[in-house]
Amino acid sequence: MPLFDYSALSANGQTISGHLQAASRSDVFRKLESQSLTPVRVTEQTSEKTVAAAAAKAAQSMEPVKLKRAQLILFTEELADLLDGGLQIEQALRVMQERQEAVAIRRISAILREQLREGSTVAKALKKASPSFDDLYCNLVAAGEVTGSLSSILRRLAANLTVMAELQSKVTSAMIYPAFLIGACTVLMIVFMTFMVPQITDLLAKSGQKLPAATQALIHVNTFLGQWWWVILTLLVIIGLLFKGYISTPSGLLWWHRAKMKLPLFGPVIATRFYAQFAHSLGNLVNNGVPLLNSIKLVSKISVNVFIQSILHKVTGLVAEGSPLSSSLRKSGEFPMMLVDMIAVGEQTGQLGKSLEKCAIRYDKELDKRIKRMTALISPVILIFMAVVVGVVAYSIVTAIFQSVSGIRGRA
């Protein structure tokens, strides 16, 4: 049996230290309690190798764990449910550590429990536990700790994360079908130019007939691509590298992120998605008592778009100088007037959080409409382009075949 060192308090408050042989730590606790002693510290006497292995295992278990978006939402919802059920934060984390099926969530719960035992706040513990808990998340949790409404804030966070996930899913889903059509068109053209055109060219050349202009142009294009494809590929790679190098510079990245918001079809979707995220996140922070200036600073981090970050940086500076949020957004020149007016109304009535929530709901609906409109427009455009390209190739081939057959009949 292993040997354990212990420190315990007697009934009269004296500290007693000693050694006990037991099968486990729990047996030591039971033996001490049977002697009317209150355990304070119980440690197992181990060899240096065992100590090193245990230390390495403990260090590994305390390493930050990255959560997927779905796991982050699940963690937030479950923690909110347990707190609403009347459990304390440490008890709720213990339940999640013992019963949660996802390994990552169990490890997060264990790290958080350890940090809380050391006297850390929940917000600070979250930062150490995982990079998935961003500043926005941690600051809302900190506000919940101060106001005593941690469970309700976690509930709002879960709802906000779910909305953001749905927005991302809508944009991604909208691009799947157009990407499939472009890929199908590319494969079809490769098959045409690589297999069909050379075979038909050989067949027509044997007939001795003069080929139509469309067919000759098709053959020239096919010959050019066959001989100089490596030059074209090299140029494309060089252009791609130059473009990547340019957008890796601060000025180039700013230009590219601004250009993306001006693209036809895609630009309005990107902009509307940002407005929805902005209203959701800022409204959530304001409703939970975070000061407006700090809220804007945190919201500026929700987007990876450098152009948007630069705009919010200007807005933050104006608000810091004492300008109202609505006036600051209007001066930036990049926010829609409807959003600015709704925020102005909220400032005048003292219900900025509610106004932002209404804006978020409105832009969610607007984003859904724009995504459907974009999908409805992209598909026909790609189909028409495919039809034109395939039609030109087919016309060139069919015309040549028809002329060749006519020539053979004339000779007969």
Side-chain angles (χ1 to χ4, degrees):
M1 283 189 182
L3 185 64
F4 292 87
D5 296 328
Y6 71 86
S7 295
L9 295 176
S10 63
N12 57 8
Q14 293 182 346
T15 301
I16 301 175
S17 300
H19 312 285
L20 273 178
Q21 279 191 332
S24 63
R25 285 170 55 88
S26 58
D27 288 340
V28 177
F29 279 95
R30 280 194 292 269
K31 289 182 178 181
L32 292 174
E33 289 172 354
S34 67
Q35 300 174 19
S36 299
L37 297 176
T38 303
V40 175
R41 179 181 60 84
V42 176
T43 57
E44 182 180 357
Q45 291 185 1
T46 55
S47 63
E48 293 183 0
K49 292 184 178 179
T50 307
V51 171
K57 185 176 180 181
Q60 183 179 7
S61 64
M62 291 298 108
E63 290 181 356
V65 182
K66 191 169 184 179
L67 296 176
K68 298 179 181 178
R69 187 189 293 269
Q71 292 175 329
L72 181 59
I73 295 173
L74 176 61
F75 171 86
T76 307
E77 288 179 340
E78 186 167 345
L79 185 56
D81 289 338
L82 292 172
L83 293 177
D84 280 339
L87 296 180
Q88 298 297 320
I89 181 68
E90 200 278 336
Q91 295 174 320
L93 290 171
R94 177 174 58 80
V95 171
M96 294 176 68
Q97 180 184 356
E98 295 174 352
R99 301 182 183 179
Q100 177 55 239
E101 295 181 359
V103 177
I105 295 180
R106 290 205 304 268
R107 289 183 59 189
I108 289 285
S109 302
I111 296 172
L112 290 174
R113 288 186 68 196
E114 186 65 26
Q115 293 293 328
L116 292 177
R117 285 172 185 163
E118 294 178 0
S120 176
T121 63
V122 180
K124 291 181 179 179
L126 288 170
K127 288 184 178 181
K128 295 180 180 179
S130 174
S132 302
F133 301 114
D134 56 16
D135 290 340
L136 185 65
Y137 192 107
C138 294
N139 278 275
L140 280 173
V141 169
E145 288 183 279
V146 173
T147 59
S149 57
L150 183 57
S151 61
S152 62
I153 284 182
L154 287 171
R155 188 78 62 194
R156 289 186 182 181
L157 268 172
N160 191 39
L161 289 169
T162 303
V163 170
M164 295 300 108
E166 290 176 353
L167 292 178
Q168 184 70 35
S169 177
K170 287 178 182 179
V171 175
T172 303
S173 300
M175 298 307 301
I176 292 177
Y177 184 58
F180 172 77
L181 292 178
I182 293 174
C185 180
T186 303
V187 171
L188 184 61
M189 290 307 303
I190 291 174
V191 171
F192 262 122
M193 304 302 286
T194 305
F195 298 102
M196 296 186 65
V197 173
Q199 293 179 6
I200 294 174
T201 301
D202 293 340
L203 177 64
L204 296 177
K206 293 176 181 179
S207 67
Q209 297 290 324
K210 183 179 179 181
L211 299 178
T215 308
Q216 290 180 4
L218 179 64
I219 293 173
H220 290 325
V221 170
N222 187 62
T223 303
F224 176 80
L225 293 176
Q227 293 179 348
W228 301 100
W229 63 268
W230 59 274
V231 176
I232 298 172
L233 181 61
T234 303
L235 288 174
L236 290 176
V237 171
I238 291 174
I239 292 172
L241 291 175
L242 290 174
F243 178 76
K244 185 177 180 180
Y246 175 66
I247 64 173
S248 63
T249 63
S251 59
L253 187 62
L254 181 64
W255 169 84
W256 173 234
H257 283 178
R258 182 172 187 174
K260 285 198 295 185
M261 297 189 67
K262 305 297 182 181
L263 291 174
L265 293 180
F266 299 99
V269 172
I270 296 173
T272 306
R273 180 173 178 268
F274 163 67
Y275 299 144
Q277 286 181 324
F278 175 81
H280 272 295
S281 302
L282 188 60
N284 204 2
L285 288 165
V286 171
N287 283 331
N288 286 288
V290 180
L292 179 59
L293 185 59
N294 292 340
S295 299
I296 300 172
K297 290 179 180 179
L298 291 172
V299 170
S300 65
K301 300 176 182 179
I302 66 175
S303 177
V304 297
N305 191 303
V306 176
F307 175 65
I308 290 174
Q309 290 178 2
S310 66
I311 295 172
L312 291 178
H313 180 71
K314 294 177 182 178
V315 171
T316 303
L318 292 172
V319 173
E321 294 174 358
S323 177
L325 176 60
S326 56
S327 301
S328 302
L329 295 177
R330 186 179 292 108
K331 290 177 182 178
S332 71
E334 299 293 339
F335 285 83
M337 292 308 300
M338 189 280 292
L339 176 60
V340 174
D341 291 340
M342 288 287 290
I343 290 175
V345 171
E347 289 176 327
Q348 293 173 5
T349 60
Q351 296 181 336
L352 180 58
K354 290 186 178 180
S355 294
L356 286 167
E357 287 179 355
K358 292 179 181 178
C359 290
I361 294 173
R362 181 163 183 174
Y363 277 107
D364 282 341
K365 296 179 180 179
E366 181 68 19
L367 178 62
D368 190 52
K369 291 179 182 178
R370 288 190 179 277
I371 290 175
K372 290 179 180 178
R373 190 181 307 160
M374 180 183 68
T375 307
L377 289 174
I378 286 178
S379 300
V381 169
I382 295 177
L383 287 173
I384 291 172
F385 174 76
M386 290 175 60
V388 170
V389 173
V390 174
V392 169
V393 174
Y395 171 77
S396 302
I397 295 173
V398 171
T399 302
I401 294 175
F402 180 77
Q403 183 171 325
S404 178
V405 171
S406 299
I408 293 173
R409 287 181 178 176
R411 290 178 183 177

